[in-house]
Amino acid sequence: MLLKVVILGDSGVGKTALLNQFVNNRFSTSYKATIGADFLTKEAFCGANARSVAIDETLVTLQIWDTAGQERFQSLGVGFYRGADVCILVYDITQPKSFENLDTWRIEFLTQASPSDTQNFPFVVIANKLDRENDRRVATQRAQTWCAKNSTSILPFFETSAKAATEVEAAFRKAAQLALSQG
Ligand code: GTP
Ligand code: MG
């Protein structure tokens, strides 16, 4: 079973780092902004962005579609979003702006992907860079309130560190589980 995961958020929040940690168990501090989606699409197809996990009895392959946060106003085309089974929204706990932009990312996703059931489409929210707790500028409570406001049921929320590999596995597993339960 192949599931399409779209990961969105501002530039520098750690989208590529999260997927690299999840897929390859690797982390790098040297920052290379993701460029375009064409390259990523190719990468996704050759398997570099995919990993399998067992959810209950089902083996699920997550194909993670990563893109450049800085190209947010440049249309990626609906092809990037179409057929997504779940969307992961990422912000950086040290960058309030990246949290405030979650609204825009969520709306962008729903507009472009136009899932049949907008109300119940599964999202997972990730607050990344937990290892930088001392520089935190977005309170957990604030994010939880946003999650409650933007969902009819529960919008799962994880505080992660791609660097320390904290909760990364749990967040992606939750995404897989939600996508699966959508059928
Ligand atoms: P774009 O591709 O430009 O959209 O950015 P991105 O969201 O993919 O960010 P990326 O994964 O490239 O990470 C940006 C920078 O943050 C890099 O220098 C990473 O090493 C760093 N970074 C990512 N995750 C973490 C984390 O959990 N903790 C710390 N301390 N640094 C992180
Ligand atoms: Mg990136």
Side-chain angles (χ1 to χ4, degrees):
M1 160 105 45
L2 185 69
L3 295 176
K4 177 170 174 176
V5 182
V6 169
I7 185 162
L8 297 175
D10 281 9
S11 183
V13 296
K15 299 179 297 296
T16 304
L18 284 162
L19 101 78
N20 202 27
Q21 180 59 257
F22 176 65
V23 175
N24 305 308
N25 294 112
R26 272 199 292 256
F27 177 79
S28 162
T29 45
S30 65
Y31 177 57
K32 271 194 229 97
T34 303
I35 303 161
D38 192 37
F39 155 74
L40 288 151
T41 305
K42 264 187 256 157
E43 214 179 30
F45 286 134
C46 75
N49 290 353
R51 210 199 102 185
S52 303
V53 287
I55 302 291
D56 299 323
E57 314 273 86
T58 315
L59 186 69
V60 179
T61 301
L62 297 182
Q63 189 183 62
I64 304 154
W65 293 55
D66 180 24
T67 188
Q70 65 193 359
E71 285 172 23
R72 54 181 300 185
F73 295 117
Q74 196 180 306
S75 179
L76 282 168
V78 289
F80 183 82
Y81 299 92
R82 196 187 293 126
D85 296 294
V86 61
C87 175
I88 299 179
L89 299 172
V90 187
Y91 72 91
D92 172 350
I93 64 162
T94 73
Q95 301 291 335
K97 191 77 200 153
S98 71
F99 171 71
E100 284 147 24
N101 282 336
L102 288 187
D103 275 316
T104 317
W105 286 116
R106 184 175 162 276
I107 291 161
E108 165 88 355
F109 176 84
L110 290 173
T111 308
Q112 299 284 344
S114 53
S116 50
D117 187 354
T118 318
Q119 287 293 310
N120 296 303
F121 187 86
F123 287 92
V124 170
V125 173
I126 289 184
N128 192 37
K129 308 200 184 179
L130 192 61
D131 57 286
R132 296 188 57 198
E133 184 63 62
N134 292 343
D135 303 314
R136 179 195 282 273
R137 288 171 66 205
V138 183
T140 304
Q141 183 59 54
R142 207 178 148 202
Q144 281 171 339
T145 303
W146 187 87
C147 289
K149 195 187 72 190
N150 283 286
S151 179
T152 45
S153 53
I154 301 160
L155 204 161
F157 172 69
F158 292 87
E159 294 198 304
T160 66
S161 167
K163 186 177 182 179
T166 311
E167 288 284 275
V168 177
E169 183 80 19
F172 280 96
R173 284 191 70 89
K174 187 67 191 181
Q177 206 181 62
L178 283 181
L180 258 187
S181 67
Q182 290 291 301

